[in-house]
Amino acid sequence: EQPIFSSRAHVFQIDPNTKKNWVPTSKHAVTVSYFFDSTRNVYRIISLEGSKAIINSTITPNMTFTKTSQKFGQWADSRANTVYGLGFSSESHLSKFAEKFAEFKEAARLAKERSQEKTELTSTPSQESAPGDLQSPLTSESINGTDEDRVTANTPKHSKARAEPSQNALPFSHSSSSINKHWEAELAALKGNNAKLTAALLESTANVKQWKQQLGAYQEEAERLHKRVTELECVSGQTTAIKSQKTELNRTIEELELALKAKEEELERLKAEVESANEFRFQKDTLTQKLKVSNTLERLYESRGASEIAAMSKNYRSVLKF
């Protein structure tokens, strides 16, 4: 058997005591797969956790998969006397699983109808069994619920037994021996399929270990890259702040240069005014001295004669030259 559809989900079973509470049967999300057994023409839902089968349910036409929430669905298995529940990671995964359930349920119904038609065509009136059920041997298939299409809970009391396609009816002992051989062959086929499934499970376990190691390495690399990105973002933020500060400083320097230029121009103007004031002060001192000499001469002229004035004028000639 090969899986024809698989999904990941958390597996639950209804509490057999309360029939209300859910009991988890898997520690984490596991693979839940649909299988098709071509030898028995049945569809099964199987899920393993390690080497333990936590789901082994044969799909029958009277089963119904019910969505109880956006991510949870359930179905009842009367042969296993339990109710299975699956919790998915998303609503789309739940919807896809439900669609496959309905599809394989319809296929199981058609297969059962074809099997019944074939049985009716190959049966004869002389082969009707006595009142009572013709029970098949107790095998691992019937315990796990894998012969739902051959022995059902609603089998009529006067069912028609399968016979060889011949005109004469075979003895009951010969028919029972054929049934036993048939079930032994199916049991051998089931063991072979289980061996293949175990080998595939071991290979998958080894692959899971390798994938976990790769995942750990990828997570470490992702963490390192995340730290590097954070550092670069910090450096980028600092660079932006530095650029902003540099722009502000350049603007301040320009303003200071303009103010300095204005102060230099003001200083030059003040220097020119100081030079002009010094020149005015020198002229003032000169005029003051000339005024004093003029006043002195005027007083001498009034008090003395012209001869003395001429003599004194000679003495002050050097002063009056300018």
Side-chain angles (χ1 to χ4, degrees), residues 206-217:
N207 292 335
V208 166
K209 290 181 180 178
Q210 183 180 359
W211 294 337
K212 284 183 178 179
Q213 293 176 357
Q214 293 180 354
L215 179 60

Side-chain angles (χ1 to χ4, degrees), residues 43 96-109:
Y43 293 87
K96 189 66 175 178
F97 192 90
E99 290 174 3
K100 291 296 181 181
F101 192 99
E103 176 183 343
F104 299 143
K105 172 185 172 181
E106 179 65 17
R109 184 186 67 80

Side-chain angles (χ1 to χ4, degrees), residues 127-313:
Q127 293 169 331
E128 290 186 1
S129 60
D133 294 338
L134 180 61
Q135 299 292 340
S136 63
L138 185 60
T139 63
S140 60
E141 290 88 352
S142 61
I143 292 174
N144 293 327
T146 60
D147 339 323
E148 187 67 26
D149 289 335
R150 290 175 174 79
V151 182
T152 62
N154 298 322
T155 303
K157 291 186 178 181
H158 299 282
S159 62
K160 295 181 179 180
R162 178 178 297 179
E164 296 293 333
S166 63
Q167 295 179 354
N168 298 323
L170 296 176
F172 178 77
S173 59
H174 187 201
S175 177
S176 177
S177 176
S178 299
I179 292 175
N180 288 336
K181 289 181 180 180
H182 172 74
W183 288 118
E184 287 175 358
E186 291 201 355
L187 179 59
L190 181 61
K191 288 181 178 179
N193 290 333
N194 287 339
K196 292 180 182 179
L197 185 60
T198 303
L201 178 62
L202 294 176
E203 183 180 358
S204 299
T205 303
N207 292 335
V208 166
K209 290 181 180 178
Q210 183 180 359
W211 294 337
K212 284 183 178 179
Q213 293 176 357
Q214 293 180 354
L215 179 60
Y218 293 154
Q219 287 177 346
E220 291 179 359
E221 182 66 14
E223 185 67 20
R224 187 184 65 80
L225 293 175
H226 180 70
K227 290 181 179 180
R228 181 59 180 166
V229 168
T230 303
E231 293 175 357
L232 291 176
E233 288 178 350
C234 293
V235 171
S236 176
Q238 293 177 357
T239 303
T240 304
I242 291 172
K243 288 182 179 179
S244 177
Q245 293 178 359
K246 183 179 178 181
T247 303
E248 188 67 23
L249 289 175
N250 289 335
R251 187 181 299 109
T252 304
I253 290 172
E254 291 177 357
E255 292 176 356
L256 291 175
E257 287 179 349
L258 292 175
L260 180 61
K261 186 176 181 180
K263 294 296 182 182
E264 288 178 351
E265 292 177 355
E266 181 69 15
L267 181 60
E268 292 295 331
R269 187 180 63 79
L270 291 175
K271 284 182 179 180
E273 290 181 357
V274 168
E275 291 179 357
S276 178
N278 290 334
E279 184 177 355
F280 289 154
R281 187 180 297 110
F282 178 76
Q283 292 177 1
K284 177 183 176 183
D285 293 342
T286 301
L287 291 174
T288 302
Q289 188 175 4
K290 287 182 178 181
L291 182 60
K292 288 182 179 178
V293 171
S294 177
N295 291 333
T296 302
L297 291 176
E298 184 178 357
R299 286 194 300 271
L300 288 175
Y301 183 81
E302 291 176 353
S303 60
R304 299 183 180 181
S307 58
E308 292 181 359
I309 292 174
M312 292 181 67
S313 296

Side-chain angles (χ1 to χ4, degrees), residues 21-85:
N21 301 325
W22 289 106
V23 178
T25 56
S26 64
K27 297 180 181 179
H28 48 77
V30 295
T31 300
V32 182
S33 302
Y34 287 98
F35 285 81
F36 176 67
D37 187 351
S38 58
T39 59
R40 290 181 295 276
N41 200 23
V42 295
Y43 293 87
R44 293 192 294 165
I45 302 175
I46 297 177
S47 179
L48 301 175
E49 186 176 36
S51 60
K52 177 185 177 183
I54 55 179
I55 297 179
N56 185 7
S57 177
T58 300
I59 300 177
T60 60
N62 60 343
M63 282 185 178
T64 302
F65 186 85
T66 305
K67 297 180 183 179
T68 57
S69 68
Q70 291 183 347
K71 299 181 181 180
F72 194 87
Q74 65 183 51
W75 77 97
D77 189 335
S78 58
R79 183 56 72 87
N81 194 24
T82 188
V83 179
Y84 293 104

